[in-house]
Amino acid sequence: MDFSKKLKAIELRKNGLSYEEIRKSISASKSTLSNWLKDIELTAEQKGRLSRLQATAYLGAKKNQAKSIAHHNEIREAAKKEIPSLIQNSFFVSGLMLYWAEGDKHSGKLQFSNSDPEMIRLMMKWFREFCKVPEEKFKIGLFIHTLHVRADCLEFWSQVTSLPLNQFNKPYIKPTIFSSRKNKLYEGTCVIKIHNRDLMSKILGWIDAVKGSFRV
């Protein structure tokens, strides 16, 4: 423990500063500050100031949240208008339907998972062609059962995705109850990851428009 940091934190807290304000002066986690400062009593005036700071921060966060929601709603609405010019393209529709069925649509993260190399190859082409994803924005995750771990597994998926190994996350090795490989050709599950909230909103807008066209 850095005793000088603790003394500085105690001094700042006694002056009525919030944990966030203290962290701007010293490098310490909230949990560390909580442990150091839990016995310090603040005056009524100091508590009032901190309450006002919290209220201001809350209002600011709500305002930013509203702006974000409006921004992503605009993207979704614009994407819906693109569907009439895209719906005749069978490849576009195939990729969109696959993402609708298998892609992550709720966490705010663009992710598509599958163990079929041809499906992963198709979706990589779809993201490149229709979503215009720059090559450096792709990240790949792998989920592999212990029985299927092979030295060339990363190289296999690197060839499938046409991405270098430095864009792969560390594989997640899953334990298995089986004592022998059931599928000799199984290479694990590949996860395509793209960190782009705007693109997620665009794809969801495309899906909304297609769903709307099916309603009677």
Side-chain angles (χ1 to χ4, degrees):
M1 180 180 69
D2 190 330
F3 195 66
S4 62
K5 280 187 179 181
K6 181 177 181 179
L7 291 178
K8 180 66 174 178
I10 291 173
E11 177 188 357
L12 294 174
R13 186 62 170 175
K14 286 182 176 179
N15 287 333
L17 272 66
S18 68
Y19 283 9
E20 286 302 315
E21 289 174 318
I22 295 172
R23 290 182 69 197
K24 291 178 181 179
S25 296
I26 65 171
S27 176
S29 67
K30 284 187 177 181
S31 60
T32 296
L33 290 181
S34 179
N35 184 53
W36 286 350
L37 309 175
K38 60 185 177 182
D39 295 327
I40 297 178
E41 287 292 332
L42 299 177
T43 66
E45 182 179 353
Q46 289 172 336
K47 290 179 180 178
R49 174 183 175 273
L50 294 185
S51 294
R52 290 191 294 274
L53 284 178
Q54 290 177 342
T56 300
Y58 174 78
L59 291 175
K62 292 295 289 184
K63 184 177 181 180
N64 289 336
Q65 182 187 53
K67 285 182 179 180
S68 178
I69 291 172
H71 170 72
H72 289 288
N73 283 341
E74 287 178 6
I75 293 174
R76 288 177 76 150
E77 291 303 313
K80 291 179 184 179
K81 297 175 183 178
E82 296 176 351
I83 285 298
S85 63
L86 293 169
I87 200 69
Q88 302 304 319
N89 189 311
S90 60
F91 179 38
F92 170 79
V93 175
S94 297
L96 187 63
M97 294 302 96
L98 283 174
Y99 195 89
W100 185 5
E102 301 289 341
D104 189 334
K105 299 170 289 293
H106 305 292
S107 71
K109 298 177 181 178
L110 248 173
Q111 293 190 159
F112 181 87
S113 308
N114 211 271
S115 60
D116 185 338
E118 292 307 315
M119 191 174 291
I120 292 295
R121 190 174 281 114
L122 183 152
M123 287 306 296
M124 287 295 298
K125 183 177 180 182
W126 189 80
F127 284 129
R128 287 170 169 134
E129 183 171 329
F130 294 102
C131 302
K132 310 299 182 186
V133 177
E135 291 300 302
E136 67 274 10
K137 293 299 182 181
F138 287 107
K139 293 292 181 183
I140 301 296
L142 294 180
F143 290 81
I144 311 170
H145 286 288
T146 49
L147 285 174
H148 298 93
V149 174
R150 288 168 33 178
D152 63 346
C153 196
L154 286 171
E155 286 76 8
F156 173 82
W157 288 109
S158 178
Q159 291 180 9
V160 170
T161 59
S162 297
L163 290 174
L165 293 179
N166 62 11
Q167 288 180 235
F168 280 61
N169 299 136
K170 182 180 179 180
Y172 176 74
I173 310 299
K174 299 190 292 184
T176 179
I177 61 174
F178 301 118
S179 58
S180 62
R181 290 168 65 98
K182 300 295 182 179
N183 181 355
K184 303 298 183 183
L185 300 178
Y186 182 71
E187 300 286 352
T189 297
C190 179
V191 186
I192 303 170
K193 304 178 182 181
I194 305 165
H195 297 289
N196 188 326
R197 283 290 307 279
D198 286 359
L199 179 56
M200 168 64 87
S201 296
K202 186 172 190 175
I203 291 175
L204 291 178
W206 287 339
I207 292 172
D208 287 343
V210 172
K211 286 193 291 188
S213 68
F214 292 152
R215 296 193 183 104
V216 293

